Amino acid sequence: MVSARVGRGAVLGAAVLSLLTVPARAATPEADARTAATALPAPDVGGLDAVLRSAVDQGAPGALARVDDGDDSYLVTRGFADRSTRQGISVADRFRIGSVTKSFSAVVLLQLADEHKLDLDAPVNRYLPKLLPDDRITVRHVLSHRSGLYDYSNDMFAKSVSGFEAVRDKVFGYRDLVALSLNKPRTNAPGAAYSYSNTNYVVAGLLIEKLTGTSVRDAYEKRLITPLGLRDTFYVHPDTKIPGRHAHGYLTPDTAGAKLVDATDQTVSWAQSAGALISSARDLNTFYSALLRGKLLSTARLAEMERFNRVDATTSYGLGLRRRDLSCGVSVYGHTGAVQGFYTYAFASKDGERALTAAVNTSNNARVLGTLAGTLESAFCGRSTGKGTGKALRVPAAGERDLRQ
């Protein structure tokens, strides 16, 4: 089913055969000329629908996508939020965002750099004495995944279900997780290569708490959640529940044909500042739009965040920020997230004017993860990725307040 909500409780489904467009502001010839020169193609709603339908066909119980484009929003859903009750998934549902949390952690540290409380090129050990075995590892190395610190989660989840059940309700200290990493050889010398590791953002959490004198939760709330009005974004660790309306998350076992495991309730203590935030599509779009518009960091510090190192043919990594280069020549900026039960793509255009969040409520399914990447093409390139059968509404931002009830 493809659905969109307008106002309070009004739902339109797959029978809708046309897009609704409501102008948000009066146009002028000058504004039209500027828009024509810089605007992206309109999002391909049929393409978004086709991508989500494919993800559901490949094993995701449900899938959602939200594109915020200036004053308009495009909302598309497929499948279920809860397999047991058959409740349909909604773009208003909250979900675990996994490593998208890393962008939040990086922004907090970069704000501290703006406040002259942190030097990005200083050794981590300057702020956290004797935490790491090498004084050459800097804060910048940590935030860019170039520290060489081994990712402890590689061993923790070598077997998906048994590994998850072993830590589902466990509470770790940050230093416990760092110690797990240091039991293994480092992957490279500091600064020598990119090697993605959750350990880096556990160290980031320690830095946040040391430099702010408060918890990571309080830092997120004071610096990001409250100022941006993110009403669906929570750091509940070590609590296990997702508050309010939410999608259930389902872990795909390693054994083909085995039943999905409901992984919704968990501490996510194994990740914390590397991946434990809960949010919604609306909130993530708000966050990345604000970031890329320069509302969260100084111009100089945002430029530091956007100093990218190439990861592969289409992806580069900065400081807690990914750049994806799309087939149409457009680059988008944000992060991906994977945590037991959920995959997330959250990206925005360079100017922050258009943002996409797409999510599915499954994990450990490589086909679904690869398919979900297609939402970026549909949202930013306007190219069809398949023949969608449904339609969604394009609604004005004036209705956003009611949309999220």
Side-chain angles (χ1 to χ4, degrees):
M1 178 181 179
V2 182
S3 67
R5 292 169 179 256
V6 182
R8 191 185 301 272
V11 179
L12 299 179
V16 177
L17 299 177
S18 62
L19 292 174
L20 173 67
T21 305
V22 181
R25 62 170 71 92
T28 66
E30 293 81 4
D32 286 343
R34 287 195 301 271
T35 300
T38 61
L40 295 169
D44 178 7
V45 177
L48 283 171
D49 173 39
V51 172
L52 299 192
R53 184 181 58 186
S54 294
V56 170
D57 289 344
Q58 292 164 356
L64 64 90
R66 174 176 179 137
V67 179
D68 288 306
D69 186 22
D71 293 318
D72 297 311
S73 296
Y74 302 78
L75 319 174
V76 188
T77 63
R78 281 272 175 180
F80 300 103
D82 187 331
R83 296 177 74 234
S84 61
T85 66
R86 309 292 280 180
Q87 177 181 317
I89 200 167
S90 166
V91 289
D93 285 341
R94 295 164 181 168
F95 50 89
R96 299 190 185 279
I97 67 173
S99 288
V100 180
T101 302
K102 291 178 171 69
S103 290
F104 285 74
S105 297
V107 168
V108 171
L109 285 177
L110 289 166
Q111 287 179 344
L112 291 167
D114 268 334
E115 296 162 16
H116 307 292
K117 296 176 181 176
L118 176 69
D119 180 349
L120 293 175
D121 293 309
V124 169
N125 285 347
R126 175 187 297 180
Y127 306 103
L128 300 166
K130 299 182 180 180
L131 176 71
L132 303 179
D134 193 332
D135 284 341
R136 295 176 299 167
I137 299 174
T138 67
V139 177
R140 190 185 302 277
H141 291 150
V142 164
L143 294 182
S144 60
H145 292 295
R146 296 174 67 82
S147 68
L149 294 171
Y150 180 78
D151 188 346
Y152 58 84
S153 68
N154 291 340
D155 299 329
M156 195 175 282
F157 303 121
K159 294 184 178 180
S160 62
V161 175
S162 60
F164 167 65
E165 294 294 359
V167 300
R168 178 197 281 264
D169 297 312
K170 192 166 183 178
V171 178
F172 293 93
Y174 281 124
R175 291 177 183 268
D176 297 331
L177 297 172
V178 173
L180 290 175
S181 169
L182 297 182
N183 284 335
K184 292 296 185 78
R186 280 173 277 162
T187 57
N188 50 262
Y194 170 90
S195 182
Y196 191 89
S197 173
N198 285 297
T199 308
N200 290 312
Y201 277 79
V202 169
V203 173
L206 279 167
L207 285 166
I208 289 170
E209 295 198 341
K210 177 64 177 291
L211 295 170
T212 63
T214 189
S215 67
V216 164
R217 176 191 298 178
D218 288 346
Y220 290 151
E221 290 178 352
K222 177 181 177 182
R223 292 171 173 273
L224 300 173
I225 294 172
T226 298
L228 292 175
L230 306 182
R231 291 185 240 169
D232 299 319
T233 303
F234 303 91
Y235 185 82
V236 301
H237 174 270
D239 291 345
T240 62
K241 302 290 186 181
I242 301 176
R245 175 170 179 158
H246 61 274
H248 283 240
Y250 298 93
L251 173 62
T252 306
D254 295 319
T255 304
K259 291 183 179 180
L260 299 179
V261 175
D262 190 325
T264 310
D265 295 345
Q266 56 173 301
T267 63
V268 201
S269 193
W270 67 268
Q272 298 186 58
S273 52
L277 274 171
I278 294 160
S279 194
S280 68
R282 184 263 182 191
D283 277 9
L284 293 182
N285 285 355
T286 298
F287 169 73
Y288 280 113
S289 289
L291 173 62
L292 291 162
R293 289 174 179 173
K295 295 182 177 180
L296 300 179
L297 299 171
S298 68
T299 301
R301 211 58 65 192
L302 180 57
E304 298 248 33
M305 196 176 196
E306 296 175 345
R307 286 173 56 183
F308 294 102
N309 293 295
R310 177 66 66 179
V311 174
D312 57 34
T314 61
T315 307
S316 301
Y317 204 91
L319 303 183
L321 192 68
R322 290 189 186 277
R323 186 186 73 205
R324 291 288 292 255
D325 302 324
L326 306 181
S327 65
C328 58
V330 171
S331 293
V332 292
Y333 304 78
H335 216 287
T336 52
V339 65
Q340 290 91 353
F342 301 95
Y343 286 139
T344 303
Y345 274 76
F347 285 83
S349 57
K350 183 68 167 63
D351 60 5
E353 282 296 310
R354 182 179 298 179
L356 160 79
T357 294
V360 294
N361 55 343
T362 196
S363 65
N364 198 39
N365 186 324
R367 289 185 69 201
V368 169
L369 180 61
T371 293
L372 195 62
T375 58
L376 297 175
E377 296 284 331
S378 295
F380 295 99
C381 292
R383 293 182 178 180
S384 177
T385 56
K387 186 177 181 181
T389 58
K391 299 291 183 182
L393 286 183
R394 180 181 179 191
V395 299
E400 293 303 305
R401 210 169 273 110
D402 290 336
L403 258 172
R404 293 169 44 255
Q405 299 301 315

